């Protein structure tokens, strides 16, 4: 369902970060984000065991991917989203032919309503906490490992990615193990106000945010999945938190530099490279997962840019 995305060396980002920066361009997926890898894999697995309808409560890229997967598998999809979901995301979900229900002020309310609608034969597709999903996300590392040989990278010294609920992190680490890159460290990036993973690592236990205050709503899980915290004990993971302003500025620069529109959720990971963050110091060759995101418009990104101003 997902496509094989390119792995490229970014001249501009390499110059900015003073080291080799490689990009895995997940923004090019048909739904605009990597989510289709995992959601497609999970939806297919549930369809094979008899699911007759897909249900989601994500007002973000997972909801868009569930709508897309439903159409690809000829299964009806129901997506319940809260009122806070952007007009762009609602359009995308409806455009893929899913039934869209708007209910509640928060994701928790929409999710509660969605769970109440589940009938026999429905498959609930979780946005980040499902082994089928991680297995699907891992495919991006299979591709990266094949591409690395072809483009002479051999292997990256570190991988930079964004963390919301931790599904991408779990999938990437599964992929790293699969291709024999289990010793490649992961730099896990969040924005201030969506930093549940960073706080949990500091506390040494799962921490729930009181509220998500970052504009990077795709990183806005109040609590990360248990598996992500387990992996933090098994794999070298460095946690970084950037500001909303840094994330927005990185997305704006990326739009100019690579002609790709991404959410600040993706800008957060890019900001580590654009800012040549100190965490990169030991790593001469870095791969950034440009995870994408289709819930913002260029206008919205420009408005945030104007609001936050330039500089750090
Ligand atoms: C979902 C998403 C994330 C975060 O992924 P998790 O699996 O929740 O950690 C980051 N960026 C974008 C664009 C997303 O859609």
């Amino acid at each position: 369902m997902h496509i094989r995305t390119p792995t490229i060396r970014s001249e501009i980002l390499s110059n900015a970060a003073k080291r080799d920066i490689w990009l895995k361009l997940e923004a090019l997926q048909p739904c605009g984000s990597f989510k289709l890898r995992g959601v497609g894999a999970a939806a297919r697995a549930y369809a094979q065991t008899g699911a007759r309808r897909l249900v989601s409560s994500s007002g973000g890229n997972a909801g868009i991917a569930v709508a897309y997967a439903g159409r690809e598998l000829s299964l009806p999809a129901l997506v319940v989203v809260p009122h806070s979901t952007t007009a762009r995301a609602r359009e995308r979900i409806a455009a893929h032919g899913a039934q869209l229900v708007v209910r509640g002020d928060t994701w928790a309310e929409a999710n509660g309503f969605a769970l109440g609608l589940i009938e026999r034969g429905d498959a609930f597709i979780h946005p980040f906490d499902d082994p089928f999903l991680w297995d699907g996300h891992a495919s991006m590392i299979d591709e990266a490992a094949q591409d690395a040989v072809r483009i002479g990278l051999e292997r990256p010294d570190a991988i930079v990615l964004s963390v919301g609920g931790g599904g991408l992190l779990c999938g990437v680490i599964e992929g790293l193990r699969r291709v024999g890159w289990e010793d490649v460290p992961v730099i896990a990036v969040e924005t201030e106000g969506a930093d549940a993973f960073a706080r949990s690592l500091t506390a040494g236990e799962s921490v729930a945010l009181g509220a998500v205050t970052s504009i990077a709503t795709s990183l806005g899980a109040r609590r990360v999945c248990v598996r992500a915290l387990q992996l933090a004990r098994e794999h070298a993971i460095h946690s970084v938190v950037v500001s909303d302003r840094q994330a927005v500025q990185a997305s704006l620069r990326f739009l100019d530099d690579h002609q790709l529109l991404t959410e600040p959720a993706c800008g957060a990971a890019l900001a580590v490279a654009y800012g040549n963050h100190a965490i990169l110091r030991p790593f001469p060759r870095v791969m950034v997962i440009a995870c994408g995101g289709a819930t913002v418009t260029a206008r919205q990104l420009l408005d945030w840019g104007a609001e936050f101003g330039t500089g750090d």
Side-chain angles (χ1 to χ4, degrees):
M1 221 173 282
H2 64 270
I3 62 160
R4 189 184 204 292
T5 59
T7 310
I8 63 165
R9 180 179 179 278
S10 167
E11 190 72 37
I12 296 181
L13 269 161
S14 297
N15 288 338
K18 301 181 177 69
R19 67 199 72 241
D20 278 318
I21 302 289
W22 304 83
L23 298 170
K24 182 67 174 150
L25 293 176
E26 289 300 295
L28 295 174
Q29 289 294 347
C31 296
S33 83
F34 72 94
K35 284 287 193 323
L36 188 57
R37 289 184 187 269
V39 166
R44 221 183 267 286
Y46 293 125
Q48 272 162 11
T49 53
R52 292 192 299 270
R53 183 172 72 159
L54 307 178
V55 179
S56 168
S57 60
S58 163
N61 296 299
I64 297 172
V66 168
Y68 185 95
R71 198 175 55 185
E72 289 291 304
L73 296 170
S74 302
L75 287 178
L78 168 66
V79 183
V80 182
V81 304
H83 287 285
S84 54
T85 300
T86 65
R88 168 48 53 107
R90 293 183 204 190
E91 280 162 29
R92 292 266 164 120
I93 291 165
H96 294 315
Q99 185 189 352
L100 178 72
V101 175
V102 183
R103 189 54 88 92
D105 291 329
T106 61
W107 172 79
E109 284 173 32
N111 188 52
F113 188 73
L115 293 176
L117 294 178
I118 289 189
E119 296 168 6
R120 250 179 63 130
D122 284 350
F124 183 74
I125 310 279
H126 197 281
F128 57 82
D129 194 2
D130 182 336
F132 284 131
L133 198 82
W134 308 331
D135 187 52
H137 292 342
S139 61
M140 76 179 74
I141 300 300
D142 298 334
E143 293 170 17
Q146 288 161 7
D147 290 346
V149 174
R150 190 173 48 75
I151 60 188
L153 164 66
E154 291 165 60
R155 54 155 56 196
D157 300 306
I159 299 213
V160 182
L161 51 75
S162 307
V163 173
L168 176 59
L169 177 83
C170 293
V172 163
I173 291 179
E174 183 177 320
L176 294 175
R177 290 175 171 179
R178 230 146 73 175
V179 303
W181 287 1
E182 59 282 327
D183 54 347
V184 175
V186 171
I187 297 170
V189 192
E190 295 168 292
T191 47
E192 288 162 12
D195 50 346
F197 185 61
R199 285 171 192 252
S200 299
L201 293 185
T202 305
E205 60 180 5
S206 176
V207 171
L209 300 175
V212 173
T213 54
S214 170
I215 57 158
T217 50
S218 292
L219 304 186
R222 287 188 52 219
R223 197 190 278 279
V224 297
C225 60
V226 171
R227 180 75 184 136
L229 294 175
Q230 267 172 2
L231 285 173
R233 290 192 291 273
E234 299 171 15
H235 196 98
I237 302 179
H238 305 279
S239 167
V240 173
V241 178
V242 302
S243 65
D244 276 353
R245 171 194 272 187
Q246 288 169 319
V248 165
Q249 285 172 353
S251 282
L252 283 169
R253 284 178 71 174
F254 194 63
L255 180 56
D256 283 340
D257 294 343
H258 282 282
Q259 301 80 43
L260 289 170
L261 177 64
T262 56
E263 293 178 19
C266 176
L270 295 168
V272 169
Y274 274 120
N276 191 15
H277 194 288
I279 201 96
L280 298 182
R281 208 164 284 154
F283 309 121
R285 294 167 310 174
V286 173
M287 183 177 292
V288 181
I289 308 293
C291 53
T295 71
V296 295
T297 58
R299 162 77 52 219
Q300 172 74 81
L301 204 55
L302 288 167
D303 286 349
W304 278 327
E307 196 180 309
F308 290 127
T310 49
D312 282 325

Coordinates of all heavy atoms in Angstrom, one line a residue, residues 1 13 30 37 52 56 69 105 114 123 142 181 194 226 229 289:
M1 N 0.8 -1.2 0.0 CA 0.0 0.0 0.0 C 0.9 1.3 0.0 O 0.6 2.2 -0.7 CB -0.8 0.0 1.3 CG -2.2 0.4 1.0 SD -3.2 0.2 2.5 CE -3.5 -1.5 2.5
L13 N 21.3 20.4 3.9 CA 21.3 20.0 5.3 C 22.7 19.6 5.7 O 23.1 19.8 6.9 CB 20.3 18.9 5.5 CG 18.9 19.4 5.9 CD1 17.8 18.3 5.7 CD2 18.9 19.8 7.4
P30 N 1.9 8.2 -0.4 CA 0.7 8.7 -0.9 C -0.2 9.5 0.1 O -0.9 10.4 -0.3 CB -0.1 7.4 -1.4 CG 1.0 6.4 -1.5 CD 2.1 6.8 -0.6
R37 N 2.7 3.0 6.2 CA 3.4 1.8 6.2 C 2.8 0.9 7.3 O 2.4 -0.3 7.0 CB 4.9 2.0 6.6 CG 5.7 2.6 5.5 CD 7.1 2.7 5.9 NE 7.9 3.5 4.9 CZ 8.6 2.9 3.9 NH1 8.5 1.6 3.7 NH2 9.2 3.7 3.1
R52 N -14.2 -6.6 8.8 CA -15.1 -6.1 7.7 C -15.2 -4.6 7.7 O -15.7 -4.0 6.8 CB -16.5 -6.7 7.9 CG -16.5 -8.2 7.7 CD -17.9 -8.8 7.6 NE -18.7 -8.6 8.8 CZ -18.7 -9.4 9.8 NH1 -18.1 -10.6 9.7 NH2 -19.5 -9.2 10.9
S56 N -11.0 4.2 13.3 CA -9.9 4.9 13.9 C -10.5 6.2 14.6 O -11.6 6.6 14.3 CB -9.0 5.4 12.7 OG -8.1 6.4 13.2
A69 N -6.3 3.2 3.6 CA -6.2 1.7 3.6 C -7.5 1.1 3.4 O -7.6 0.1 2.7 CB -5.6 1.3 4.9
D105 N -14.2 17.4 22.2 CA -13.3 18.5 22.1 C -11.8 18.0 22.1 O -10.9 18.7 21.6 CB -13.4 19.5 23.3 CG -14.7 20.2 23.2 OD1 -15.2 20.5 22.0 OD2 -15.3 20.5 24.2
A114 N -15.7 6.6 19.5 CA -15.3 5.6 18.5 C -15.4 4.2 19.1 O -16.0 3.2 18.5 CB -14.0 5.8 17.9
A123 N -12.2 -3.7 13.0 CA -10.8 -3.7 13.5 C -10.5 -2.3 13.9 O -10.6 -1.3 13.1 CB -9.9 -4.2 12.4
D142 N 14.4 -1.4 6.1 CA 14.8 -2.4 5.1 C 15.2 -1.7 3.8 O 16.3 -2.0 3.3 CB 13.6 -3.3 4.7 CG 13.1 -4.2 5.9 OD1 13.9 -4.4 6.8 OD2 11.9 -4.6 5.9
W181 N 21.6 -3.5 11.9 CA 22.1 -2.2 12.4 C 21.7 -1.9 13.8 O 21.4 -0.8 14.2 CB 21.4 -1.1 11.5 CG 22.0 -1.0 10.1 CD1 23.0 -1.7 9.5 CD2 21.6 0.0 9.1 NE1 23.2 -1.3 8.3 CE2 22.4 -0.3 8.0 CE3 20.6 1.0 9.1 CZ2 22.2 0.5 6.8 CZ3 20.5 1.8 7.9 CH2 21.3 1.5 6.8
A194 N 5.0 18.5 24.1 CA 4.6 17.1 23.6 C 5.7 16.1 23.9 O 6.0 15.2 23.2 CB 4.4 17.2 22.1
V226 N 4.2 1.6 26.0 CA 5.1 0.8 26.9 C 6.3 0.3 26.2 O 7.5 0.4 26.7 CB 4.3 -0.3 27.6 CG1 5.2 -1.2 28.4 CG2 3.2 0.2 28.5
L229 N 9.3 2.6 25.9 CA 10.1 2.8 27.1 C 11.0 1.5 27.4 O 12.1 1.6 27.9 CB 9.2 3.1 28.3 CG 8.5 4.5 28.2 CD1 7.5 4.7 29.3 CD2 9.5 5.6 28.2
I289 N 14.8 10.7 9.4 CA 13.5 10.2 8.9 C 12.7 11.4 8.7 O 12.2 12.0 9.7 CB 12.8 9.2 9.8 CG1 13.8 8.1 10.2 CG2 11.5 8.7 9.2 CD1 14.2 7.1 9.1

